[in-house]
Amino acid sequence: MDKWVYRFDEGDRSMLALLGGKGAGLAEMSRAGLPVPPGFTITTGACNAYYARDKLFPEGMWSQSKAALRHVEEQTGKRFGDPANPLLVSVRSGAPISMPGMMDTVLNLGLNSATLPGLCALTGDERFAWDAYRRFVQMFGEIVLGVPGEKLARALEAVTGRANGGRGNGAHREAGLGVPALRGVVDRFKGIIFGEARQAVPEDPEEQLRLAIAAVFDSWMNRRAVDYRRLNRIPDSIGTAVSVQVMVFGNAGEDSGTGVAFTRNPNTGCPELFGEYLTNAQGEDVVAGTRTPSPIGHMAEALPDTYQEFRDIARRLEAHYRDMQDLEFTIERGRLYMLQTRSGKRTGQAAVRIAVDMVGEGLITRQEAVQRVVPEQLDQLLHPVVDPAAAAPMLATGLPASPGAAAGRAVFDADEAERMAAGGERVILVRHETNPDDFHGIVAAQAIVTARGGMTSHAAVVARGMGKCCVVGCDGLQIDYGQQLFAAGGRVVSRGDWITVDGTRGAVLLGQAPTREPALDEYFDTLMGWADAQRALKVRANADTPADARTARRFGAEGIGLCRTEHMFFEGNRIDAMREMIMAPNAVARAEALTKLEPLQTRDFEGLFEAMDGYPVTIRLLDPPLHEFLPRHEETALTITDLKLKLRLAANLNEIDALLREINVKTAILAQIERLAEANPMLGHRGCRLGIVYPEVTEMQARAIFTAAVRSQERGLTVIPEVMIPLVAFVSEYESQEKLVRRVAEQVFASHGVRLAYTVGTMIELPRAALTAGEIARRAEFFSYGTNDLTQTTLGLSRDDSARFLPGYVQRGLLADDPFQTIDTGGVGELVQIGLERGRAARPKLKVGVCGEHGGDPRSVAFFHTAGLDYVSCSPFRVPIARLAAAQAALAAPAELARQAESVAAS
C-alpha cells in the first residue's frame, strides 16, 4: 500500500481492482501501442485511505502524483504551469465496476491567466484557447468548488442567446462565440464563483490538481453515486481511482471532434459499430446534450481515414477483451486518441445476442456465454416495457415489484375491475394494499399499484406469479376510496382516467404511455439450452392455475414447486361456497358446503397435471387463516348500516322482509368475522392447524388431488403428485395430517381400482421445524422451504409492515439487502442448512427445495446451490432467471474451490 500512483505504462488489465475500469483500460491500451495520451492513475486504495484519514491524502500520494506528472512532462516536452509551453490535463474518475455518469470529471486543468497566452501562441487560435479556459472555469467552479451548475449555465445562455428570447450577442451556441464574448463569459463565471464559494479558481496549477483529485474522491460519496451503488449492490469499499491524463482537444476546429461508441449495438446486440460523435467539441458536450451529435457512421464521410483507424482499433479491442467495448475518443486536428475502453452496458436482449454471437465467432466458450448475462436482465425479455421514448408525466414512484408495462383505466375496487374488464375495458387496480379477497380484481387488471406493502407483499407475490406488472409502496399516492380518486405528483387521477404502470422501473405515469412487446428469439433459446446443460439445481414454478402452469412450462419449468390451493377459492362464485363452509355451524354443514368446492378443485388439479405431464406437482393444503375469505370488517359493517337506512325508508312488506333477511345474513357474517379475528393472524390459526381443527377441509382437498391424479393417469398422462402440509411446528401435527391424507388416498384408489405413486411432505417455514428437521424427516418424504414465512418468523419482521423501514436500513448500510428479497444467509440461511443436514441425516434421499420468493432471486439461488438443495421454485416469469442463475452458480463453484485450494497451498 506504499504505492498509490501508477503510470499508464506500469499497469495492465489485471489491475482492475486497483486502477479502476478507466485506469486499467488506459494502461492496457498504452501497453498495446494504441494512441493514448500519457498519464497516470491514483489507486482505489488511495480513495479508501482518503476517507479513512478524514479526507486527507494518504502519506506519499501527493509526492508520487507530482513525480508521475514530471514523467508526463518528459514524455510530452511540456511543463505544467509553464507560460510558454503549458501542459494541460484532465482528471477523471474510474471505479472497478462501471458507474457511468455517477462521478465527476474536470477538463483543461492547468489553464490560468499566465498559461492562457501560451496556449494561444502554441495553437495560433486565440478563440480556441479562450473556449478551453471557459470550459475549465465552468467545470472547476461547479465540480470542485460546489457552485450550482444551473447558475453558470444561465450565465452562458444569456450570452449565447438561448435565454432571454434570443437576445444577447446573437450566437446560438458556444461555437459561435467570439473572443470578446468568451472573455465576458469567463469574467462572469469568476464573479459567480466567488460570490457563491467565497473563493476564486486557483491560479496555481498544482493547487488546481490537488483540489480536483480531492473532488473526484469526494464524488465517490455523492448522492447519485451512493444511490447507484445501492441499486446495483455495489459495495462502497471498492472505491474509485483517479486518472490524470494529458489533454487532447476535440474543440480545435472542424478537423477535430469527440465521441462515444460501442463495438456492438448495446440495445439489440447487432454486430455493428454503434455510437455518436461531435465535431469541434469536447467530451462533456456529447454527454450533456448541449449539442446534437451525429451517428458515428457520418464520421466516415467527414474524416474517412480517421474513421477507418477507429474501426480497426475497435475491432482489435473487442477481440482483445473478448467482450463488447464502450469506447471514448477524441480527434485533435485529424489525429485520433483513445481515452477509454471498458465493457459496455447493454440491454438484456443485447446481452443474450452478444454472448451467443461471440461463441459462434470463437471469442468465448459456451460456459463463458452463460456467465456473461446478468440473470435479472432476462426480465426485459419476458415482459412488455414502456417505450424509452415515451414522454408521459410521472405521477409516483415505488418498488418495482413485478416488471413489465401496462396501461389502463384506474379503478379502486376489485369487483369494479372485474366488471369493467368483462366489458372489454383495460383497467389498473389501485389499492392501499391488496389481500386474497382482491384476487379476482388482480386477475382482471392489467397491472396493480399499491400505496403500501413491500416486494413480497400480497400484491407483489401474486402479480409476479401471474406475470402482471406491479408497483408497490408508492408513498406519494394519496388514495380516497370515497371519492374514487388518488392524488400524486401534483395531479388528481379519478376513476376511469388512464394511467400507465412501469413495473420495471417502479413508476406510475399519467395517460397511455406506449409500450413494446419483447420477443423471445433463437438467441434466447440457445443461451438457455447452454445454461440447462450446466446447472445442477432443478427449477420449478409456483403456479396456482392451469394457465400459470402452461406459462411456466413455456419458460422451461420442470414441475410445480408450489400450488397455493387457497387462490383457487377466489375465482368466480367459489368464494360463496367457501364462505358458506366458514359460516357452517358444525362439521356436517361444513362438509356439505365443501362438496360444492370439491369438483371445482378436482378440475383445477386435472388442469395442472395435464400442463405438467411427466413433471412433479407439489400441492400445498389450505394455508391462510379463514378470516381472509370473508369480507372486510369495515365493509360489512357499512353494508349493514346502509341496509338499515334502506329499511327505514322501505315502503312495502316484501321489501322490508328482504332487507331484514339480508341484514340477518350480514350480521351473522360480521359476528363470524369478529370471532375469527386474530391479533397476529400470520402466527395464528392457519396452515396445518386449520386441517387439524377442520379435518373435513383436508379430506376434501386430498380427495380432489387424488381423484384428479387418477383421472389424469387414466387419460394416459404421467402424474407425479406431491402433497405438502403447511406450517408444521411439531411432528405430531404432521403425523395427524399425513395419516388423513394417506387414508383418503387409499379410499380414492380403492374406489377407482387404480393405484399411483405419490409423496407427502411438508413446508419448513418455522425455526422449530428447521431445528427438529431430523424428527420430521423420519415421516416426511420431502421438504420445501417456505422462505417468506421462515424469514418473518426468524427475524421477527412482518414482510408487509417492515416495508416502511427496511429500505432505510439498506440505504443506511445497516443491511446489505432486504432479507425478503435476498436470503439472509447468516440467519435464515443457517436454518436452511441445519434443516437440510438434520433432515438428510434421518432420510438420506430426502428431496429438498425452496418455494418462497427467494427461489427466483439470483444470489439466493447461488446460496441454495451451495447448500445442496435439489430444486428452487419461483414465479413462472422468473423461471428463466432461476435457470440462468443456477447455471452460473454451478459454474462458479469449481472456480471457488480452485481459489480455496490455491489459498490453502499458499498458506
Side-chain angles (χ1 to χ4, degrees):
M1 294 301 293
D2 290 338
K3 187 170 176 60
W4 304 109
V5 177
Y6 289 81
R7 301 191 309 267
F8 290 168
D9 59 1
E10 294 179 313
D12 59 43
R13 62 189 295 188
S14 69
M15 301 169 72
L16 175 70
L18 192 64
L19 303 180
K22 188 178 293 290
L26 289 168
E28 190 75 3
M29 288 193 293
S30 297
R31 290 169 66 89
L34 297 182
V36 175
F40 58 90
T41 299
I42 303 169
T43 66
T44 56
C47 176
N48 289 328
Y50 173 78
Y51 282 102
R53 289 168 52 87
D54 197 20
K55 294 192 174 183
L56 293 175
F57 290 160
E59 190 72 31
M61 190 208 88
W62 181 238
S63 61
Q64 291 177 30
S65 299
K66 290 199 291 184
L69 186 62
R70 299 290 90 80
H71 185 268
V72 171
E73 289 177 333
E74 292 171 5
Q75 287 180 282
T76 61
K78 298 181 179 182
R79 293 290 178 267
F80 199 49
D82 185 344
N85 191 18
L87 172 67
L88 304 183
V89 298
S90 63
V91 180
R92 302 173 187 264
S93 62
I97 298 174
S98 177
M99 295 172 54
M102 295 302 110
M103 292 174 289
D104 293 330
T105 294
V106 181
L107 304 180
N108 306 339
L109 198 140
L111 276 173
N112 57 22
S113 57
T115 57
L116 180 59
L119 183 62
C120 293
L122 283 172
T123 61
D125 189 338
E126 187 180 12
R127 192 221 161 267
F128 157 74
W130 273 99
D131 184 51
Y133 191 37
R134 184 271 304 174
R135 293 169 184 270
F136 164 67
V137 172
Q138 185 173 2
M139 295 184 81
F140 197 95
E142 179 181 354
I143 291 165
V144 181
L145 300 181
V147 176
E150 61 272 15
K151 292 195 173 186
L152 297 170
R154 282 199 300 268
L156 180 60
E157 288 168 0
V159 177
T160 60
R162 285 199 298 268
N164 303 317
R167 293 187 299 273
N169 72 347
H172 292 279
R173 63 174 191 170
E174 293 89 328
L177 296 179
V179 172
L182 288 169
R183 288 177 186 269
V185 170
V186 170
D187 288 341
R188 180 65 180 138
F189 280 172
K190 288 182 175 180
I192 292 172
I193 290 168
F194 191 81
E196 291 287 330
R198 312 312 294 174
Q199 66 180 107
V201 176
E203 284 285 297
D204 180 359
E206 287 196 357
E207 181 66 4
Q208 293 175 4
L209 180 60
R210 188 184 66 79
L211 290 175
I213 293 169
V216 174
F217 280 159
D218 289 342
S219 72
W220 178 245
M221 295 305 294
N222 68 33
R223 180 173 180 177
R224 64 180 184 273
V226 171
D227 288 347
Y228 185 90
R229 291 199 295 277
R230 296 288 177 269
L231 181 65
N232 292 281
R233 294 168 171 168
I234 299 170
D236 293 340
S237 59
I238 64 172
T240 184
V242 178
S243 291
V244 179
Q245 187 175 25
V246 172
M247 279 297 306
V248 286
F249 297 96
N251 60 328
E254 293 303 315
D255 60 348
S256 302
T258 187
V260 175
F262 297 83
T263 55
R264 302 190 187 216
N265 190 312
N267 294 321
T268 67
C270 262
E272 61 188 10
L273 196 59
F274 178 95
E276 298 173 322
Y277 89 110
L278 276 171
T279 57
N280 200 17
Q282 286 197 307
E284 79 271 16
D285 295 329
V286 178
V287 177
T290 55
R291 291 170 53 190
T292 302
S294 300
I296 192 74
H298 290 188
M299 190 172 138
E301 302 170 11
L303 300 166
D305 293 341
T306 307
Y307 177 73
Q308 187 57 51
E309 181 186 6
F310 178 71
R311 283 185 63 89
D312 292 343
I313 289 174
R315 292 194 192 99
R316 181 176 170 187
L317 286 170
E318 181 178 271
H320 180 70
Y321 283 96
R322 300 184 308 125
D323 195 9
M324 185 261 278
Q325 293 297 289
D326 172 1
L327 308 171
E328 291 183 12
F329 65 92
T330 286
I331 304 164
E332 183 181 62
R333 305 187 190 281
R335 183 175 178 183
L336 175 69
Y337 293 93
M338 300 302 299
L339 304 182
Q340 173 181 280
T341 186
R342 64 185 176 191
S343 292
K345 300 287 185 182
R346 64 207 74 179
T347 65
Q349 178 186 354
V352 171
R353 176 166 180 177
I354 290 169
V356 173
D357 278 348
M358 285 191 168
V359 172
E361 294 163 16
L363 289 173
I364 60 176
T365 66
R366 292 181 177 184
Q367 290 82 357
E368 287 175 307
V370 168
Q371 292 174 303
R372 285 284 176 89
V373 180
V374 178
E376 289 91 342
Q377 287 184 303
L378 296 184
D379 258 342
Q380 300 170 25
L381 305 181
L382 307 176
H383 297 272
V385 294
V386 171
D387 191 324
M394 178 82 70
L395 291 173
T397 58
L399 299 172
S402 185
R409 297 185 184 276
V411 296
F412 301 88
D413 176 79
D415 293 336
E416 170 118 317
E418 188 175 51
R419 282 195 302 272
M420 291 180 66
E425 293 279 3
R426 296 169 62 86
V427 298
I428 306 294
L429 182 61
V430 181
R431 302 286 294 169
H432 285 305
E433 72 277 306
T434 65
N435 65 26
D437 207 22
D438 295 315
F439 183 78
H440 59 294
I442 295 174
V443 171
Q446 301 297 313
I448 302 93
V449 175
T450 68
R452 296 194 285 265
M455 293 289 281
T456 54
S457 64
H458 175 267
V461 171
V462 174
R464 273 196 294 273
M466 300 176 71
K468 290 182 184 287
C469 66
C470 177
V471 177
V472 300
C474 295
D475 292 335
L477 219 59
Q478 303 298 318
I479 302 173
D480 187 332
Y481 286 148
Q483 297 294 320
Q484 292 285 283
L485 56 82
F486 71 84
R491 299 171 185 265
V492 174
V493 174
S494 299
R495 171 191 169 277
D497 290 346
W498 281 90
I499 59 174
T500 298
V501 180
D502 185 345
T504 304
R505 291 188 301 151
V508 182
L509 310 172
L510 183 65
Q512 301 182 63
T515 62
R516 298 189 308 187
E517 283 289 339
L520 301 181
D521 54 24
E522 67 274 15
Y523 297 103
F524 175 85
D525 293 337
T526 299
L527 184 78
M528 296 312 296
W530 295 342
D532 290 340
Q534 300 299 325
R535 62 186 168 88
L537 274 175
K538 299 291 185 183
V539 177
R540 301 189 190 182
N542 301 338
D544 309 323
T545 66
D548 290 344
R550 287 189 290 272
T551 299
R553 282 292 301 123
R554 191 169 78 250
F555 288 140
E558 299 161 298
I560 292 176
L562 175 63
C563 168
R564 294 157 288 207
T565 54
E566 61 271 10
H567 285 178
M568 298 173 174
F569 296 140
F570 287 97
E571 292 187 7
N573 59 2
R574 300 181 186 191
I575 190 67
D576 297 329
M578 189 64 181
R579 288 172 178 172
E580 183 182 337
M581 186 276 294
I582 295 171
M583 298 297 295
N586 53 53
V588 174
R590 276 193 297 275
E592 184 178 341
L594 288 168
T595 59
K596 300 176 183 178
L597 288 170
E598 184 175 328
L600 301 174
Q601 286 238 292
T602 302
R603 188 165 66 244
D604 286 338
F605 294 145
E606 285 187 70
L608 293 178
F609 290 137
E610 180 179 357
M612 288 291 163
D613 182 17
Y615 290 100
V617 177
T618 304
I619 301 171
R620 182 182 71 185
L621 300 178
L622 188 65
D623 180 48
L626 293 179
H627 74 83
E628 289 196 6
F629 298 96
L630 294 174
R632 295 181 179 91
H633 183 281
E634 59 272 21
E635 291 177 3
T636 307
L638 284 171
T639 300
I640 293 172
T641 301
D642 288 342
L643 290 169
K644 288 180 177 178
L645 289 172
K646 290 179 181 178
L647 184 63
R648 290 183 181 181
L649 302 173
N652 59 68
L653 290 176
N654 288 337
E655 186 181 359
I656 290 171
D657 185 56
L659 286 168
L660 285 172
R661 283 199 304 271
E662 192 171 357
I663 288 171
N664 288 336
V665 170
K666 296 296 184 183
T667 301
I669 292 175
L670 185 64
Q672 186 73 326
I673 292 170
E674 292 173 347
R675 189 179 71 80
L676 293 174
E678 297 177 286
N680 194 345
M682 297 314 293
L683 295 178
H685 193 198
R686 55 169 290 216
C688 67
R689 302 159 193 170
L690 284 174
I692 291 169
V693 175
Y694 304 118
E696 54 273 15
V697 175
T698 301
E699 289 175 353
M700 181 277 287
Q701 291 200 295
R703 195 160 44 245
I705 291 168
F706 292 114
T707 299
V710 167
R711 289 179 182 174
S712 298
Q713 183 170 282
E714 289 173 341
R715 291 168 50 207
L717 300 175
T718 302
V719 184
I720 310 173
E722 300 176 345
V723 182
M724 186 157 66
I725 298 167
L727 210 74
V728 165
F730 303 94
V731 70
S732 56
E733 292 176 313
Y734 176 82
E735 289 171 341
S736 170
Q737 291 287 281
E738 183 205 17
K739 288 176 183 176
L740 197 157
V741 168
R742 294 194 184 279
R743 175 168 59 79
V744 171
E746 290 303 316
Q747 292 172 352
V748 173
F749 296 160
S751 67
H752 285 78
V754 174
R755 300 192 67 82
L756 55 81
Y758 70 95
T759 55
V760 183
T762 187
M763 246 176 139
I764 304 294
E765 45 196 331
L766 297 173
R768 191 182 193 281
L771 295 172
T772 61
E775 188 179 357
I776 295 172
R778 281 190 274 273
R779 296 298 301 265
E781 294 174 291
F782 68 86
F783 284 173
S784 181
Y785 282 96
T787 52
N788 294 345
D789 276 332
L790 187 59
T791 298
Q792 288 195 105
T793 54
T794 300
L795 302 183
L797 287 173
S798 162
R799 65 183 181 184
D800 288 333
D801 296 331
S802 63
R804 300 175 185 176
F805 60 85
L806 268 183
Y809 271 43
V810 175
Q811 188 173 18
R812 294 168 58 189
L814 299 176
L815 291 175
D817 300 286
D818 183 333
F820 291 107
Q821 297 179 40
T822 298
I823 194 162
D824 163 37
T825 56
V828 179
E830 188 71 13
L831 286 173
V832 169
Q833 291 184 306
I834 289 171
L836 184 68
E837 292 166 4
R838 294 180 183 180
R840 284 186 175 158
R843 186 184 290 266
K845 295 186 178 180
L846 180 73
K847 181 162 59 178
V848 183
V850 60
C851 60
E853 284 297 297
H854 297 99
D857 171 65
R859 288 192 295 163
S860 301
V861 169
F863 169 80
F864 297 135
H865 169 87
T866 303
L869 270 65
D870 295 298
Y871 69 88
V872 296
S873 187
C874 57
S875 303
F877 281 83
R878 292 194 73 81
V879 165
I881 294 170
R883 289 165 63 194
L884 183 58
Q888 291 180 350
L891 290 168
E896 176 61 18
L897 289 173
R899 188 194 65 77
Q900 292 176 5
E902 289 176 6
S903 178
V904 170
S907 61

